[in-house]
Amino acid sequence: MLRYISLRERFLAAIFLSALLGGILRVVHVQPRINEGLWRTDDYEYFEMGRLIREEGYLGDPHRSWRPTAMRMPMYPAFLALTQAVFGSVPGARRAQILLGVLAVLLAGAVGWRLHSPAAGALAAFLLAVDPRQIEITHWLFIESFFGFTLLFLAWALGRWSREESPEW
């Protein structure tokens, strides 16, 4: 028996299809490079700082591991330490970046939906899913993917908080 699919359900499906498309595009981009080493740039430094957090228990200078540092904020290296513990080395961290990108697409859809309309959510999810720069950045272990996800999560939480009957601090 055929059932009528509401407009709301169609927009929700569009958000999930965008996340699927974004995941596929990110996998297609990252997979040929999954085992590449890290250049001596930010991605190397972030990864090494994550390794030091995981192995030594402190945020260390990637070039002088014996020296603690506050050169970079600790959240992204801590995320990389977690990915190293769960998924293994660099390929695992890159897979975690793919997952982060897919979750960001879903969050963009949720934020657009909550703050404007279901159509805005579907459009936001699609645009983030197919954005070439967002796809490209997935390969590198740069903070931008994590930072973008964090900002989307905060926007979602703020939107949720602002719609409550009596929002409290």
Side-chain angles (χ1 to χ4, degrees):
M1 174 178 238
L2 293 175
R3 183 178 80 76
Y4 173 76
I5 300 173
S6 70
L7 196 56
R8 180 183 170 107
E9 291 171 326
R10 290 178 192 182
F11 284 124
L12 189 60
I15 290 171
F16 280 102
L17 287 174
S18 294
L20 178 64
L21 175 64
I24 290 169
L25 291 173
R26 284 159 176 77
V27 166
V28 166
H29 176 74
V30 170
Q31 196 57 40
R33 301 166 183 85
I34 196 90
N35 291 314
E36 279 183 5
L38 298 173
W39 296 91
R40 293 264 176 185
T41 59
D42 287 355
D43 60 343
Y44 166 79
E45 290 180 3
Y46 282 124
F47 191 81
E48 281 300 303
M49 291 173 114
R51 184 188 62 75
L52 287 169
I53 289 173
R54 183 174 53 85
E55 292 178 0
E56 306 296 332
Y58 64 88
L59 186 66
D61 186 326
H63 304 290
R64 292 174 222 74
S65 60
W66 50 269
R67 187 175 89 179
T69 185
M71 179 179 78
R72 300 213 186 256
M73 298 297 287
M75 280 301 292
Y76 187 60
F79 168 75
L80 288 175
L82 178 65
T83 64
Q84 291 172 28
V86 174
F87 298 111
S89 190
V90 175
R94 289 187 173 136
R95 287 183 186 101
Q97 291 273 103
I98 292 170
L99 179 61
L100 206 59
V102 170
L103 291 174
V105 169
L106 290 172
L107 273 174
V111 168
W113 186 305
R114 181 175 298 277
L115 298 181
H116 191 272
S117 67
L123 181 62
F126 178 75
L127 291 175
L128 186 59
V130 299
D131 179 29
R133 187 65 185 135
Q134 292 299 318
I135 294 167
E136 171 68 27
I137 204 74
T138 305
H139 170 252
W140 303 103
L141 300 181
F142 292 157
I143 196 169
E144 283 79 1
S145 296
F146 183 79
F147 187 61
F149 172 82
T150 305
L151 284 176
L152 282 167
F153 180 78
L154 291 174
W156 174 81
L158 182 62
R160 183 176 175 181
W161 172 81
S162 69
R163 303 250 188 221
E164 289 182 3
E165 290 288 324
S166 58
E168 295 179 14
W169 292 99

